[in-house]
Amino acid sequence: MSDWTLDYDGFEPGQEALREALCTLGNGYFAWRGAAPESRADEVHYPGTYIAGCYNRLRTEIVGETIENESLVNVPNGLVLQWRIDDGDWVRLADVDILEYRQQLMIKHGILKRSLRYCDPQGRLTRIEQQRLVSLDSPHLAILSTVIHAENWADTIEIRSALDGRVLNAGVARYKDLNKQHLRSVNSETLDPDSFALTVATTQSHIRIAQAVRTRLWRGDTRITPAPDIERRDGYIAHRYHLELDPERALRIDKLIALYTSRDHAISETGLEARKAVSVDQDYDELAARHITLWKQLWQRFDVDILHDDPRVESRTKQVLRLHILHLLQTTSPHVMDLDVGVPARGLHGEAYRGHIFWDELFVFPLFNLRMPEITRALLRYRHRRLGEARAAARRAGYQGAMYPWQSGSNGREESQHLHLNPKSGNWIPDNSHLQRHINAAIAYNVWQYYQVTCDVEFLSCYGAEMILEIARFWASLASYNDSLERYEIHAVMGPDEYHDAYPGSEQPGVNNNAYTNVMAAWVLLRALEMRDILPSQRFAELCQALNLASEELAHWEQVSRRMYIPFHDDGIISQFDGYDQLAAFDWEGYRRKYGDIQRLDRILEAEDDTPNRYQVSKQADVLMLFYLFSAEELGALFSRLGYPFEYETIPRNIDYYVQRTCHGSTLSRVVHAWVLARADRPGAWPLFMQALESDVADVQGGTTPEGIHCGAMAGTVDLVQRCFTGIETRGDVLWLNPRLPEGLKRLTLNIRYRQQILELWISPTALRISADPTTGQTIKLGIGTQIHRLRPGELREFQL
Amino acid sequence: MSDWTLDYDGFEPGQEALREALCTLGNGYFAWRGAAPESRADEVHYPGTYIAGCYNRLRTEIVGETIENESLVNVPNGLVLQWRIDDGDWVRLADVDILEYRQQLMIKHGILKRSLRYCDPQGRLTRIEQQRLVSLDSPHLAILSTVIHAENWADTIEIRSALDGRVLNAGVARYKDLNKQHLRSVNSETLDPDSFALTVATTQSHIRIAQAVRTRLWRGDTRITPAPDIERRDGYIAHRYHLELDPERALRIDKLIALYTSRDHAISETGLEARKAVSVDQDYDELAARHITLWKQLWQRFDVDILHDDPRVESRTKQVLRLHILHLLQTTSPHVMDLDVGVPARGLHGEAYRGHIFWDELFVFPLFNLRMPEITRALLRYRHRRLGEARAAARRAGYQGAMYPWQSGSNGREESQHLHLNPKSGNWIPDNSHLQRHINAAIAYNVWQYYQVTCDVEFLSCYGAEMILEIARFWASLASYNDSLERYEIHAVMGPDEYHDAYPGSEQPGVNNNAYTNVMAAWVLLRALEMRDILPSQRFAELCQALNLASEELAHWEQVSRRMYIPFHDDGIISQFDGYDQLAAFDWEGYRRKYGDIQRLDRILEAEDDTPNRYQVSKQADVLMLFYLFSAEELGALFSRLGYPFEYETIPRNIDYYVQRTCHGSTLSRVVHAWVLARADRPGAWPLFMQALESDVADVQGGTTPEGIHCGAMAGTVDLVQRCFTGIETRGDVLWLNPRLPEGLKRLTLNIRYRQQILELWISPTALRISADPTTGQTIKLGIGTQIHRLRPGELREFQL
């Protein structure tokens, strides 16, 4: 069943951080990950960081006055479980001879297993079996079950079960100069011989985090209840149990951990709730059974299955797609439906980007829209709650409407850095990335896509329309009329390609008329105008009144949406921005020869005292994003409305042009390229898909995955299968399907939801079968080719391709 | 425009607490009310508690270990605004000669105006005009605008603008022995000459509450910016401004207050957010304009309009109905959609019941279902978040499923008192009210009604069905099979009538087979079984799996739902409970003669060392609740399924029987009686409706309204007009209408929402006109008489009655 397991057999010291990131467990509420080796190993002496060291990660975004403040806080370590024999040293992997080591992430069950066999310097052979989970059923609970077998010895063993609140945020080396200390100790207490509790609070936002632990011990099948020694230090509490162990009966230790924060709903006091949670009589098997049941239910909704000519390709593809789905659901499970959280770029798996919320939703939401749109809805509300801050940001910058930040912190404030470090040169470089105003288009696009899939007018009425209208207003105020062009322009922005943040030699940050930004702005204005027809008239009138939106302003939007400027090269290629064609050609061959990996050309050039601003090089898809987000039909209509040509060859010609100028410095880039090539150049798309698939599991950027997985790329690869290979498009009231399987793919099956209807899709290179659940939903419209068909509840239809 | 104003002209010292309750302002997030006279008047010397004294009320439910803990906490007083002339005493109403006094609650605008003219002992004539609002547009903001006119003097005046965190919960006299102190001071700071801030935290739950104040002064039209003196004490901070005043130019003081708590979403740190909120450049007029706009929009959705033969009846009825709607929307405005709050029995208007959540939702939700069901949905999620606690409560009591508490505290725990005080006798009486298990039926009923109106299957799938199934399971486990009756019974409960908490002389609490409870239990089981057909089959299967619900258990529910026992008297009257007919007849005449007001017969009898348990007396509607909640058709079907007779005369005979035995000790009782009589005995219903209407505005219980308005009765009266007079019933996929206007009512108009469709209703004694919004919703089914009609978007239909 390797499709369902990520299996590491053997111990590889260089790989620990990557493995821990990929083996992180979570449930949308909090996550567990093996600790980084440096985390207080000197003081606490973990029994090898790979057995029990961990940090829990709380999605606590904190924003403050300076760059020292962070948005992601590691919470007290509840996985501390150590042992020592006969008053010896606490066992550490570094001090013993490892005979066997295996680490298995059970993807289907959301459980991590480890087994270890070692010989200590005294010649004692010991075997450890460990399982852990972060409950999907009881989101405040996690449990660690450890079995210790004394193979050839009998002696006194001491077990230390602790909660360590002295944790740091130290998971990203280049943040070493930032403040790492985000917790202060509030109190700790022993509850009974089994249980103890610790409460801490974040230093800036004063969020309380309470944890309680219940440790239960068994020798063989017999529960044993030794009286513990209590160990307390500031921010640290442990129970230490002394008992005899021999080869006859193994020792089992179940450590149940409850975590509550003061941001939780339906609580009295955090400590009280945590203590209550561990007082319930649930053991590992019971918790695991319920946890597995809920994972099964999620897999029924989220799985993708494929059949490929090459069994190894098939197996690896399924395994990684499922690993991606697992990690996405660990960051944004159904539990987020009641939380005020967004999608951090690196999941709950690492500290990179400090938990800030970027545009990754654009790549993540399409997956959820078609599987569990309630999750998307909840995550969109996260943006709506920060609409006030986005309005204030627009006003401060001299614009109207709402200007969402590129890097969004807890209260929706811009947290983009103003300087960033080039580790290659050691220089701090000015950073203009906050000029990526296209984040606003992404948010509007996400609202719109959610609506297209669900037809959820209530959401639009309460939240979505207001966001779209205010974002449209922002674009209209950002655009300025150029009399000579007789068109509207947008100046001084950055596109998705972060290698161009200014014109060469210019003091002025940003570039003018980024084609992606301008097209998206026109598109948003069009969608905003469409709200008039979609919302109940009463609600549209209310919104206009509340937002002070008069018909003159709507007429202006109409005008801007028709006369937005898009730059073209002389030969008709869409210019990434004004003047891109004037930039120097880049010596790709030369640099590849010289440096090998040139994904991060920005750092290479800066270290040479040069800058990518001078060249026709893109970090990632920019113009090509348009072909990723829109079908040819949609884009054709948009260009023609703007009065620009859009021919059959436009897409392949632009792809051909920009593919040669992109170095994939972002994991998102290959997803987009695989997508746009999937239709234009199927053989060329497959390797990019396979590379995108390996982004995290093989850490293709060489070190970024240990700092946290890449949610956008993980979701993007699953969505390539879900929407690109199937040709799914949700437009108007029609579910369009236009499957085109890559060479070698013999079958593709998945379930999706469309407008309350549950659909089963079965696709081969020559046929498409689709069936609708009989118990729910109304008749839906299917678009196949140019034909529209009706699919009634309970109906199964087959189409030849 | 008296229909839209609650106008008090003149000063009546005995009425202050009632007036303050009825003039409370709120926006669903927090509320402002004038302070009780005793609140620190000795220390702070308010300028008359009726001018500027107030407390803000935060909906902070706190639960703790003892009866000392409370669920509603008064937050720091932000309305403190005092003045004194030439270093004299701070002006207090008690010390001056009041010449004019007027207090006007502008119902349409959600604004409170006061004007005052007084002469001080020095003969100085001063006029004060004050307006305040709690912003519906910016839920964290409130503003108090005060104008001081020196009519015949010129002198130095000192203004003190403060935040006082030393507030107590002291609004209910009989709670005087409970802990009143719920706040500890955290910090205070001056921000600039205009602004200062104070942060406190609740003592048990550690919720932080930060407030910031910005005080701006004008002399005539000129903004003045005197440097303040700063006054700081523990938990108290004030700015004091000295300036000259004369009759030429009045002084205006605008005090803007921002309030944030650590339970808020989308915040960084509470203090930071509060400071940011007052730094925005909004003045009173701007805030008021936006506030009024949003109130107008709410009125468009929530208003009811009537035409009555008697203009005085018409005016008073409209005024009070609108007052009720205002207060309901101040407690549960659209802002609750993002809060974890329920409907406190007494709104946010007073401390009675300490903010606990009872069954009042049953009377409140029908109003919201048909106007803004998003609010009901949010409030039902409050219950869903406490499902785990209800499950735990059932397990602790030896039952299965979920047992919601009668008085629900912050985390969903039972907070019913075990003793209550009879102020008449001074005795503490054992209190069994937690045996009102029918709260569980009310919650299931509320879920079902919300679904009937909205057809929101997504809500059922995610939240509602789980509640209904778990509540059904509870009822099935509570019911025991009686072999001799061959029926299921439910023992040892209390019905809605709280005067019967045991059989006379029995040590055992509760009564057996409360008819209301048993019928509701059977009804809930039926609805639970119906989930099989309503939910998508995948979701129903998931729920069964997660809840461990096998088909045998569903079959058992079916059985219990068909064989539930209902007690009857020999003459066919439904017995309120087993043996009600054996209780002694009560001497109504004698007690009325002796005591006059016998609404609280329980207190009267207890003081006589007797108990209502001995008599056929009911505090409030119990059996009659059935006729309130169900139509004759629905009830007939239910009884016949149970194998019991239900004839045409059943309803009037039972009404006749119980009306004579009820003393309306609850404000809900008259609502229910007016409702059930409206069909059986129209002339008899009207006076009850009018009495129910006056419950709060005239404080008919003599002292309960000052402790907080009665949300259930307020909503019930509006709903009498909305659903009872119109005969609206939402059953199956049909909106049934069966108008029957009370004598004298010539016209009734209102807007409702039904399944996304916005409908305008116009009803006269002889005709019904209904029109549907053209822009939204699908065709709906209308039931008139026995006919079902289709109403298409944009259609207007008229029916003769």
Side-chain angles (χ1 to χ4, degrees), chain B residues 275-348:
Chain B
R275 293 193 300 272
K276 196 170 65 179
V278 296
S279 74
V280 174
D281 201 23
Q282 284 186 308
D283 64 15
Y284 181 86
D285 292 340
E286 206 177 326
L287 264 171
R290 297 180 60 82
H291 173 74
I292 290 168
T293 295
L294 288 186
W295 266 112
K296 269 190 196 152
Q297 295 186 357
L298 277 185
W299 283 114
Q300 201 162 4
R301 292 184 182 228
F302 278 91
D303 195 21
V304 286
D305 201 6
I306 60 165
L307 202 69
H308 194 275
D309 280 338
D310 182 336
R312 278 171 317 172
V313 170
E314 177 184 315
S315 177
R316 179 64 170 176
T317 305
K318 289 203 292 202
Q319 182 200 39
V320 179
L321 286 173
R322 285 165 178 163
L323 179 74
H324 288 182
I325 295 169
L326 173 84
H327 283 309
L328 290 163
L329 286 171
Q330 291 192 150
T331 298
T332 56
S333 84
H335 292 306
V336 307
M337 282 162 61
D338 210 23
L339 300 175
D340 178 40
V341 292
V343 184
R346 312 302 276 274
L348 296 178

Side-chain angles (χ1 to χ4, degrees), chain A residues 475-493:
Chain A
W475 286 122
S477 78
L478 192 60
S480 55
Y481 193 69
N482 181 322
D483 285 325
S484 62
L485 289 173
E486 294 184 326
R487 286 201 171 260
Y488 289 89
E489 297 187 286
I490 296 177
H491 286 186
V493 300

Side-chain angles (χ1 to χ4, degrees), chain B residues 202-220:
Chain B
T202 57
T203 51
Q204 184 259 339
S205 57
H206 308 300
I207 296 168
R208 285 189 168 225
I209 303 160
Q211 281 167 288
V213 157
R214 188 197 68 197
T215 315
R216 285 194 174 167
L217 303 128
W218 286 262
R219 197 156 40 209

Side-chain angles (χ1 to χ4, degrees), chain A residues 341-401:
Chain A
V341 292
V343 185
R346 311 302 278 271
L348 296 177
H349 300 63
E351 294 162 32
Y353 297 132
R354 308 196 293 280
H356 297 158
I357 310 297
F358 294 68
W359 72 330
D360 304 72
E361 302 160 356
L362 186 64
F363 301 86
V364 173
F365 288 179
L367 173 65
F368 286 97
N369 283 339
L370 287 165
R371 303 300 184 107
M372 205 180 258
E374 297 89 351
I375 291 179
T376 316
R377 184 183 158 110
L379 295 168
L380 286 170
R381 286 185 67 179
Y382 176 84
R383 291 295 193 177
H384 184 263
R385 290 191 194 96
R386 287 152 183 81
L387 182 58
E389 187 63 36
R391 281 195 188 106
R395 277 196 304 275
R396 279 194 301 269
Y399 304 119
Q400 297 177 334

Side-chain angles (χ1 to χ4, degrees), chain B residues 343-355:
Chain B
V343 184
R346 312 302 276 274
L348 296 178
H349 299 63
E351 294 163 32
Y353 297 133
R354 308 196 292 280

Side-chain angles (χ1 to χ4, degrees), chain A residues 503-549:
Chain A
Y503 287 101
S506 168
E507 290 291 300
Q508 198 72 14
V511 296
N512 296 337
N513 294 312
N514 171 258
Y516 172 71
T517 302
N518 287 20
V519 172
M520 293 305 288
W523 180 89
V524 171
L525 288 162
L526 257 177
R527 295 292 83 77
L529 292 167
E530 214 169 326
M531 291 301 129
R532 281 184 295 205
D533 307 317
I534 295 173
L535 294 190
S537 55
Q538 183 190 28
R539 182 61 191 144
F540 188 74
E542 283 176 0
L543 273 172
C544 288
Q545 202 177 36
L547 301 177
N548 235 322
L549 195 57

